[in-house]
Amino acid sequence: MKILSALQKLLFPFYKSKNIKRIFNTLNSGKEKSQVMFVGGCVRKYLLNEKVGDIDIATILTPEEIIKKFENSDILVKKTGIEHGTLTLVLNNQHFEITTLRKDISTDGRHATVSFTDNWDDDSKRRDFTINAIYLNQKGNIFDPQSGVADLKNKKIKFIGDPDKRIKEDYLRILRYVRFFI
């Protein structure tokens, strides 16, 4: 079964789907350089040869720019967390969560005040675990500023930066840590 899964990953990776190609082409239209990458669970599961379900996309585009790119299309844009830069794109009943790169300005133990950025490293530093700060572009290339691939390979769950600070920023991170550890 692992051989079949590895073969399927090689021949038909999730990032080559028709829906994803359409979304990435729309988001990157008018620009030479890619403005979007996958991040989080979909990348982690892909690297572990697990079934990819939820697809999270990170982008340098602001929510307003994303909305404008899809305004004359059949792709529905839901403002699921626009104050934090998060939108949900719906295409053919498939949901894609897309979030603008950001930095945390302040936190209260659960919610953050954010500012948007176009810096991938800054975005990675505000994430919870190294294994959730692995980015994958549409060509299958990895960007791993927090060394999450090595931690994933070695089955290590490591907070980014100071664990105490990370937990105080969002107390639910301790539950996520336990979930990943188990």
Side-chain angles (χ1 to χ4, degrees):
M1 197 57 141
K2 280 194 173 211
I3 294 172
L4 180 60
S5 177
L7 188 59
Q8 185 176 15
K9 175 184 164 185
L10 180 68
L11 298 176
F12 307 105
F14 81 97
Y15 56 84
K16 296 285 187 183
S17 81
K18 191 165 82 171
N19 285 347
I20 288 172
K21 282 182 183 179
R22 186 163 166 219
I23 287 171
F24 271 59
N25 288 342
T26 301
L27 291 168
N28 286 322
S29 65
K31 301 288 181 182
E32 289 180 26
K33 190 170 118 177
S34 178
Q35 305 179 95
V36 292
M37 284 197 270
F38 303 100
V39 69
C42 63
V43 178
R44 189 180 63 248
K45 288 182 177 187
Y46 170 73
L47 293 174
L48 291 171
N49 287 321
E50 295 176 359
K51 183 177 184 211
V52 174
D54 295 337
I55 297 181
D56 294 325
I57 300 169
T59 183
I60 64 171
L61 299 171
T62 66
E64 294 76 22
E65 290 172 317
I66 297 166
I67 291 167
K68 186 167 180 61
K69 285 192 176 270
F70 291 103
E71 69 185 354
N72 294 318
S73 75
D74 62 338
I75 298 172
L76 177 65
V77 179
K78 294 183 178 183
K79 299 175 184 177
T80 47
I82 197 164
E83 65 279 357
H84 294 105
T86 303
L87 302 168
T88 301
L89 305 176
V90 183
L91 174 59
N92 298 325
N93 294 317
Q94 188 175 8
H95 292 72
F96 303 88
E97 190 170 280
I98 182 164
T99 303
T100 302
L101 302 184
R102 60 192 191 227
K103 296 190 287 188
D104 291 347
I105 302 303
S106 65
T107 60
D108 66 4
R110 183 59 196 116
H111 302 96
T113 301
V114 301
S115 68
F116 300 138
T117 182
D118 62 357
N119 187 302
W120 295 91
D121 285 320
D122 284 346
D123 185 73
S124 75
K125 290 174 188 170
R126 57 154 290 279
R127 295 184 178 273
D128 53 6
F129 308 110
T130 60
I131 63 170
N132 285 336
I134 306 167
Y135 301 82
L136 177 78
N137 72 13
Q138 190 180 10
K139 294 180 180 180
N141 298 317
I142 296 287
F143 174 61
D144 185 19
Q146 301 300 324
S147 301
V149 173
D151 292 337
L152 192 62
K153 187 177 183 177
N154 294 317
K155 299 181 180 179
K156 290 186 178 181
I157 309 300
K158 288 176 33 182
F159 284 96
I160 295 170
D162 177 15
D164 189 52
K165 182 180 176 192
R166 300 266 63 131
I167 292 167
K168 287 179 180 171
E169 289 170 347
D170 183 347
Y171 293 116
L172 288 181
R173 286 179 171 162
I174 194 66
L175 296 175
R176 288 174 55 90
Y177 177 84
V178 170
R179 189 184 98 207
F180 285 126
F181 187 79
I182 292 171

